[in-house]
Amino acid sequence: MKNVLVVEDDTAMAIALRDGLEYEGYRVAVASDGEDGLRLAGETLPDLILLDVMLPRMSGLSVCRKLRSQGKEVPIIMLTARSQELDKVQGLRAGADDYLSKPFGFLELTARMEAVLRRTRGAEDSSHSFGSVVVDFRRHEVTRSGVRVPISARELELLAYLIEHRGEVLSRRQLLEAVWGYSGGSNTRTVDMHVAKLRKKIEEDPAQPQWIVTQHRVGYRFDG
């Protein structure tokens, strides 16, 4: 589930965006001014920010510049009632990834969001390493101390999701929904079984895991 931060001072617009995006499966945080948006960007670690240009306390352009000066590469889509070319240029030069003029259709917004997320995912490193383990997502390959580790497609998908959300505590139910597409009364033992298999392949001591850590009564956290 992707985290989206909506920074919008129009209450009706903010509520509509929050409700619509939550319905589409996003986790949404909302800020009503620029300073609050900047703070939440640091606290919630969003996967994407929808940022209004005209905001109280700090403009959207200033928020965007500040985030980029801090080295934060989170994708940003600027939202504004303005439509002149100069305003778009200013937004893009401030570090925004895309620009959408109000009024806009919700389907266009979600399409732009998906496109930006695809582009930023494609720009990321295609591999991830921790300890003696290297995960090559492009080759669908895992090696440990230079030796290839046999891994199933489902195990790799689970590992990829854990890596993507490293440092976060993920519930078994959340993992079932994200990796298997299950919901409702599905058996969470499926997650435990696959985690146990992964630990045998990537941990030095599966009995005392260093990378996939159990969060008692909740789920798992990846620390690699």
Side-chain angles (χ1 to χ4, degrees):
M1 182 181 292
K2 294 294 185 182
N3 296 317
V4 176
L5 173 60
V6 175
V7 189
E8 170 61 67
D9 64 325
D10 183 319
T11 302
M13 169 75 76
I15 292 173
L17 289 173
R18 182 199 64 196
D19 292 350
L21 292 172
E22 287 181 344
Y23 181 80
E24 292 296 320
Y26 293 95
R27 185 184 293 112
V28 183
V30 177
S32 59
D33 63 68
E35 289 187 4
D36 196 34
L38 188 61
R39 177 183 61 81
L40 284 177
E43 292 178 0
T44 63
L45 302 177
D47 297 292
L48 184 143
I49 299 176
L50 298 179
L51 181 61
D52 190 27
V53 171
M54 302 298 291
L55 292 168
R57 301 177 71 191
M58 181 185 289
S59 74
L61 291 175
S62 296
V63 171
C64 188
R65 292 190 186 101
K66 185 69 173 178
L67 289 170
R68 296 306 187 227
S69 71
Q70 294 173 348
K72 292 182 171 62
E73 298 299 325
V74 55
I76 297 173
I77 298 179
M78 305 293 291
L79 307 177
T80 181
R82 299 177 176 181
S83 59
Q84 294 182 1
E85 183 178 6
L86 179 60
D87 296 317
K88 295 180 181 181
V89 170
Q90 287 179 330
L92 295 172
R93 283 180 174 171
D97 297 273
D98 203 352
Y99 194 105
L100 197 55
S101 298
K102 302 175 185 176
F104 52 79
F106 187 72
L107 288 178
E108 181 183 4
L109 172 65
T110 54
R112 295 282 190 100
M113 290 171 61
E114 290 166 4
V116 168
L117 287 168
R118 280 197 303 272
R119 289 201 302 270
T120 53
R121 276 199 302 268
E124 292 174 354
D125 194 347
S126 63
S127 66
H128 182 78
S129 60
F130 51 96
S132 62
V133 178
V134 177
V135 185
D136 190 323
F137 298 110
R138 186 169 297 166
R139 294 184 178 181
H140 300 276
E141 181 180 278
V142 176
T143 58
R144 180 177 167 188
S145 300
V147 179
R148 186 169 180 174
V149 176
I151 189 167
S152 70
R154 186 74 72 186
E155 289 166 354
L156 184 60
E157 189 175 356
L158 173 59
L159 181 57
Y161 190 80
L162 289 167
I163 290 172
E164 181 182 359
H165 296 272
R166 54 190 174 273
E168 300 179 31
V169 177
L170 304 171
S171 71
R172 292 172 174 83
R173 186 69 59 193
Q174 183 178 349
L175 290 168
L176 266 178
E177 293 178 358
V179 179
W180 282 265
Y182 296 162
S183 59
S186 300
N187 189 354
T188 56
R189 283 289 300 164
T190 300
V191 176
D192 296 331
M193 291 169 58
H194 278 76
V195 167
K197 291 178 180 178
L198 267 180
R199 281 174 169 165
K200 290 179 180 178
K201 297 175 180 181
I202 68 172
E203 300 280 0
E204 293 293 332
D205 182 359
Q208 297 182 6
Q210 177 182 1
W211 309 117
I212 305 178
V213 180
T214 300
Q215 193 74 20
H216 187 54
R217 294 186 178 180
V218 180
Y220 299 98
R221 184 186 73 247
F222 185 75
D223 286 344

